[in-house]
Amino acid sequence: MDVLRNKARDLLAQGQVQVVIGYEAGTGGARRPSFVRSEADVARLVWDADCVGNLAGYLTRAEIKKMGKIAVVANAATLRALLQLTAEHQLAEGAVSALVVTEEGAVLELSNAQAVTEHVATLPASLSAADREKLDQLMALSREERRAFWEQELQRCIKCYACRSSCPMCYCGSCTMDCNRPQWVPVASHEMGNLEYHTVRAMHLAGRCVECGECGRACPVGIPIHLLTCYAEESVRRQFGQPAGTSATLNYALGTFRPDDQETFIR
Amino acid sequence: MADEAFEPKITAFVCNWCTYAGADLTGTSRLKYQSNIRIIRLPCTGRVDFMLIQKAFARGSDGVIVSGCHPNDCHYTSGNYHARRRWMVFNDLMEFMGLDMRRVTFSWVSAAEGAKWATLVNEVTDHLRELGPYTEYQRLLNAGVA
Ligand code: SF4
Ligand code: SF4
Ligand code: FES
């Protein structure tokens, strides 16, 4: 932890960055985002296994970008999101430095996409073991059982859009969900509108979701909503071989095609 | 309502340049097919947003057909290739969410395939008549807020 704090202090003191985004102690032992802008504040920074949040969502916010050059304390999910955002031209190459704390407690500074890409290649699969198991369980069910599962879950959705707000990949300034002339998807937390909203969200994240689980953690009513986007992501990976969050130059899988894409259901 | 009285409502989203012309050829060739279908003409399959399919169900369709030019024949060169990728993910995702994808038929019907269109529509209509109304989707409309 001291190594990380010292690194942050150096970067700020030398003026190499104007803000270090990391984690600090939150309520109930949880970790929350921390925006460290002065050397006096580096003592707030913490790093441990509870630092699970994906901080990449802040990197594209105008009010954060205004602060100047950014260094972000990055876990695996944050690194993947950083690459994906770069691939989607939301972050300029090299605009953000990633600070990675190794298992040995050293701090690596990854200051360009190449370095991040190489580091991400050494990491284990992005989907957590628990989510992997849950996905496999759902896939083993019959269609009716899966429908019942999602109906149960989605009818509890209160349409707070926390899943959308928490996702680093949901950076559009205005969202079709908020369009009310015409109103494409009903805004009320009605089962039909809920199904439509979550279909749109999953389809829009297919090929882009870095499987960080942030949306599921953000949900106030505990819907494991990340399973939908993770499934959509997996579908793209399985069918088109494109894993999101692994390269800064990946073409959007649904914005391109191959003439020999293989399907089994078109008549 | 007795079962034999059920007639499926089918919405077909077709592209202007191939399937719509193909369906027209079915008519001008005086080939008969079942009339359960409502055709909606779009410029290209690339225009078929996945939400159109869900909206068709939300408005009471029991089945949906999506059809356009064969690969390599799209009037806009690659609209159908892009659409195909989207359908591949959509089809998979909807299966995962438990929607009844037996009710959605994707196909390629060219402007010369009037007979294929008639056969396709007849087969889909018969199949949907067996499956019955898509009540599990239509139920959602009246669920929640009364
Ligand atoms: S959809 Fe959820 S799991 Fe995927 S990148 Fe966004 S927040 Fe992470
Ligand atoms: S965070 Fe949960 S309750 Fe809020 S919109 Fe997303 S799924 Fe619904
Ligand atoms: S014009 Fe027919 S699929 Fe594009």
Side-chain angles (χ1 to χ4, degrees), chain B residues 19-33:
Chain B
T19 304
Y20 192 82
D24 200 25
L25 179 66
T26 320
T28 50
S29 319
R30 307 213 168 265
L31 292 170
K32 273 200 158 176
Y33 61 95

Side-chain angles (χ1 to χ4, degrees), chain B residues 48-110:
Chain B
V48 185
D49 190 298
F50 53 88
M51 279 300 282
L52 291 178
I53 301 174
Q54 287 202 339
K55 289 292 178 187
F57 286 127
R59 296 294 161 91
S61 302
D62 301 296
V64 171
I65 294 175
V66 184
S67 182
C69 314
H70 285 265
N72 226 7
D73 285 345
C74 173
H75 190 72
Y76 308 99
T77 319
S78 62
N80 53 359
Y81 285 129
H82 284 99
R84 179 168 67 183
R85 278 212 162 185
R86 248 177 3 244
W87 301 346
M88 287 165 75
V89 176
F90 179 72
N91 196 55
D92 195 16
L93 182 67
M94 291 303 101
E95 290 275 356
F96 181 66
M97 293 178 85
L99 270 78
D100 191 353
M101 291 309 281
R102 294 172 302 178
R103 296 173 182 275
V104 186
T105 305
F106 298 94
S107 77
W108 310 126
V109 174
S110 80

Side-chain angles (χ1 to χ4, degrees), chain A residues 143 146-147 151 184 190-191 196 199 203 231 235 238-239 253 255-259 261-262 265 267, chain B residues 51 54-55 81-82 84-85 88 92 95-96 98-99 106-108 123 136 139-141 143 145:
Chain A
R143 179 186 76 77
R146 275 200 300 272
R147 178 177 64 83
E151 258 181 40
W184 189 218
H190 177 280
E191 276 190 66
E196 291 176 348
T199 306
M203 283 298 291
Y231 185 83
S235 179
R238 172 165 24 88
Q239 303 191 82
T256 179
F257 65 87
R258 287 172 53 101
D261 282 332
Q262 287 301 318
F265 58 89
R267 297 169 63 176
Chain B
M51 279 300 282
Q54 287 202 339
K55 289 292 178 187
Y81 285 129
H82 284 99
R84 179 168 67 183
R85 278 212 162 185
M88 287 165 75
D92 195 16
E95 290 275 356
F96 181 66
L99 270 78
F106 298 94
S107 77
W108 310 126
E123 282 177 13
E136 55 184 49
R139 184 196 70 75
L140 293 179
L141 262 188
V145 280

Side-chain angles (χ1 to χ4, degrees), chain A residues 63-84:
Chain A
E63 64 273 28
I64 307 277
K65 279 182 163 172
K66 245 183 6 212
M67 292 178 181
K69 185 145 160 63
I70 306 171
V72 62
V73 180
N75 57 20
T78 306
L79 288 175
R80 289 196 172 91
L82 214 155
L83 282 182
Q84 188 62 26

Side-chain angles (χ1 to χ4, degrees), chain A residues 81-102:
Chain A
L82 214 155
L83 282 182
Q84 188 62 26
L85 287 169
T86 311
E88 296 180 13
H89 309 289
Q90 299 304 310
L91 285 179
E93 149 82 67
V96 174
S97 273
L99 304 181
V100 174
V101 187
T102 65

Side-chain angles (χ1 to χ4, degrees), chain A residues 54 77 81 127 131 162-170 201-202 205 208-218 225-230 233:
Chain A
N54 190 338
L127 201 65
D131 287 342
C163 42
R164 181 183 68 178
S165 306
S166 64
C167 176
M169 260 16 102
C170 259
R201 207 179 78 85
L205 280 150
R208 308 176 52 238
C209 168
V210 296
E211 304 177 310
C212 64
E214 198 64 36
C215 47
R217 279 192 294 274
I225 200 63
H226 60 293
L227 294 178
L228 270 190
T229 51
C230 290
E233 169 56 27

